[in-house]
Amino acid sequence: MERDQWSQFKLRVNINAPADKVYNSWATPGGLEKWFLRKALFRDKAGKAKSEDTPIEQGDTYEWYWHGYPDSVVEKGTVLKANGKDLFSFTFSMKCPVTINMYEEAGELIVQLVESGLPLDDDTAMKHFVGDSRGWIFYLANLKSVLEGGLDLRNKRMELTNVITA
């Protein structure tokens, strides 16, 4: 495999839910907390905190906290794009951009996630590529589960560690 093939990955999932509901699951703090995060804190460009149902916009910054991890495990980043309909992008681990696109294919709504700009040095390439893609696979499956049937698959217990659901 050529080295630059490790610089990004693309994941897709079909979700049987209205497009606006799927988009809001990514683009509101409360939406993210239903399937992805324990706590999603967003601030606008002026530094004002956003409420759980306030749409996230380009330039907003975030702090994300996961179930199963203490508050010392936090991801901080910036929203790169948010068009209010079918495109949402943000910086993620190591400031790599993650882009969410939604579109119809074969009569179904597809959610596509692309994480790009992954490091290619020997020390982090595999760890980052494999670690991030593994996490996103679970969370995309959980998004589908929550939106289609209401079942949240996340581990919410701090005393359970090294499980695929956190």
Side-chain angles (χ1 to χ4, degrees), residues 30-163:
L32 286 163
E33 290 174 0
K34 287 183 176 126
W35 65 275
F36 182 41
L37 301 164
R38 171 172 51 94
K39 184 169 43 173
L41 303 175
F42 283 84
R43 295 192 179 281
D44 64 20
K45 293 176 187 176
K48 182 180 175 192
K50 294 203 163 202
S51 67
E52 71 176 33
D53 60 348
T54 301
I56 299 163
E57 299 174 312
Q58 182 175 333
D60 289 351
T61 58
Y62 69 79
E63 290 182 17
W64 288 350
Y65 302 87
W66 283 267
H67 286 288
Y69 293 92
D71 282 351
S72 59
V73 177
V74 59
E75 183 70 32
K76 296 180 180 184
T78 304
V79 175
L80 302 172
K81 297 176 185 171
N83 74 357
K85 180 182 167 191
D86 58 9
L87 175 67
F88 188 75
S89 181
F90 52 92
T91 60
F92 195 56
S93 62
M94 299 182 71
K95 305 292 184 222
C96 295
V98 172
T99 301
I100 309 304
N101 289 296
M102 297 171 18
Y103 52 90
E104 189 175 314
E105 182 178 309
E108 296 203 32
L109 181 67
I110 301 295
V111 175
Q112 176 178 281
L113 179 148
V114 177
E115 186 167 344
S116 58
L118 301 174
L120 293 176
D121 62 280
D122 291 338
D123 293 336
T124 56
M126 281 297 292
K127 179 182 176 199
H128 199 79
F129 184 96
V130 172
D132 279 12
S133 63
R134 189 176 87 177
W136 283 121
I137 289 168
F138 167 73
Y139 283 111
L140 287 172
N142 196 48
L143 174 64
K144 180 178 177 71
S145 180
V146 167
L147 291 177
E148 289 185 0
L151 183 60
D152 185 348
L153 306 172
R154 293 175 292 176
N155 167 45
K156 295 183 178 180
R157 297 178 57 190
M158 289 270 272
E159 62 273 17
L160 291 176
T161 60
N162 296 317
V163 294

